[in-house]
Amino acid sequence: MLASYQPQGLVHHVGVVYPRADNVLRVFIPKGHALAMGSLVTLHLDNRTGVDELDAELRVYRTSYKGRVVATDEGWVTLQPVEYMLIHGLQVVEQHREPGYAFPPDARPECTLPITPLRQLGPVQAREHHNKVGILTTLAANQPHTTVLAFLNTEIDDVFLISVPDTFKLHQLRRDPHCFFIIDERAKFTFEQAIDWNYTILEMQAFQVPPTLPLYEQVRTAFVLKNPWEAGFFLMDGLEMVHLKCQSVVFAGEPRPTRQ
């Protein structure tokens, strides 16, 4: 999953990635793209394909790869790494930062997320019970940020996430609650079938679910039923529950306006 700010807005692409030994990436985007030379892009990469069960250790490789477009050829794009941190389980196993690169300053003020208007958990989406983690895109400065998260979703595309305090994604949501959540079906497929992924890109608005709302307990119960390995998180002090309310379903390659 690739995300990039383009003149028309934020664009998501689904593609096939061919990594090189020097961590340059060749990406094939079957539906084509309009990415320009020099564009900054972020790819979410993980190796969930064929992983049927996850637990609290989250023993899959994953990274938010920030890159720069250095070549294009029809549906192909070549990316030079700018910054990434490769994580397996709970540990960083490799990281890279381009010489001279620093995270861009972000002067946008942080505001408390508004309290969700939802008061009752709707029917949970049964067909996603097997699908334990999705991808959150937040609107960081200069280029989007992606992260993998356990989630609970409903039949009308409400999505619920939990997070420990003071994570990068929470800081971004407090600066801009406009975000995107991507659900894919790789857990169903073997590696050879991965090109046939089904995926949904949801444009979302973020709200908080305070523990004082009855909705919090409804979501907690349903969340643990879907993701038993997340039960321990609900014992942590300061845990934050986020409700993503669906604004629209987005097609791959379709630009969506942002304040960037």
Side-chain angles (χ1 to χ4, degrees):
M1 180 61 64
L2 179 152
S4 178
Y5 298 133
Q6 295 296 301
Q8 303 85 358
L10 184 139
V11 177
H12 284 89
H13 288 293
V14 176
V16 183
V17 177
Y18 299 86
R20 295 178 176 173
D22 58 1
N23 293 318
V24 167
L25 301 183
R26 286 272 287 163
V27 184
F28 177 61
I29 302 172
K31 295 185 178 181
H33 67 87
L35 298 172
M37 288 283 292
S39 291
L40 295 173
V41 306
T42 303
L43 282 90
H44 173 78
L45 302 174
D46 70 54
N47 66 333
R48 277 185 283 147
T49 304
V51 177
D52 295 325
E53 295 294 336
L54 292 169
D55 57 25
E57 300 299 320
L58 202 58
R59 285 171 286 208
V60 294
Y61 288 97
R62 58 202 185 277
T63 187
S64 182
Y65 176 107
K66 296 174 178 65
R68 181 181 294 107
V69 175
V70 294
T72 64
D73 180 12
E74 296 183 344
W76 291 87
V77 61
T78 303
L79 304 178
Q80 186 78 32
V82 173
E83 189 274 339
Y84 66 82
M85 185 179 293
L86 182 64
I87 299 171
H88 184 267
L90 305 177
Q91 294 185 330
V92 175
V93 295
E94 184 179 330
Q95 53 189 319
H96 167 84
R97 186 170 290 184
E98 187 179 69
Y101 174 80
F103 287 111
D106 194 337
R108 295 176 298 171
E110 291 190 34
C111 302
T112 302
L113 285 175
I115 294 175
T116 177
L118 193 67
R119 290 297 178 265
Q120 184 75 26
L121 179 65
V124 171
Q125 182 59 269
R127 73 168 182 263
E128 297 296 348
H129 182 77
H130 71 283
N131 201 355
K132 305 303 185 185
V133 290
I135 303 161
L136 174 69
T137 303
T138 51
L139 305 182
N142 284 19
Q143 59 194 118
H145 178 72
T146 64
T147 187
V148 65
L149 285 165
F151 73 100
L152 176 75
N153 63 323
T154 70
E155 292 180 356
I156 60 170
D157 291 329
D158 287 307
V159 172
F160 297 91
L161 312 171
I162 57 172
S163 176
V164 297
D166 294 323
T167 58
F168 185 79
K169 56 184 172 287
L170 284 178
H171 286 295
Q172 298 312 307
L173 290 175
R174 290 175 187 141
R175 291 184 174 110
D176 189 346
H178 182 201
C179 60
F180 296 80
F181 196 76
I182 298 98
I183 301 171
D184 69 53
E185 305 295 341
R186 277 177 292 168
K188 288 183 179 178
F189 296 119
T190 63
F191 178 78
E192 290 77 12
Q193 295 170 314
I195 193 64
D196 296 322
W197 298 338
N198 294 320
Y199 57 88
T200 304
I201 304 170
L202 301 173
E203 186 172 15
M204 309 295 250
Q205 195 74 9
F207 298 86
Q208 62 167 312
V209 184
T212 53
L213 286 184
L215 176 66
Y216 185 96
E217 181 58 28
Q218 296 169 20
V219 174
R220 186 196 72 82
T221 300
F223 205 106
V224 172
L225 285 173
K226 180 183 178 183
N227 304 288
W229 48 279
E230 293 280 6
F233 278 93
F234 285 96
L235 302 176
M236 299 180 64
D237 292 333
L239 181 77
E240 302 207 31
M241 182 183 291
V242 177
H243 168 212
L244 304 182
K245 183 175 176 59
C246 184
Q247 307 296 300
S248 63
V249 178
V250 181
F251 295 105
E254 177 187 1
R256 302 301 299 171
T258 72
R259 294 185 291 179
Q260 293 292 323

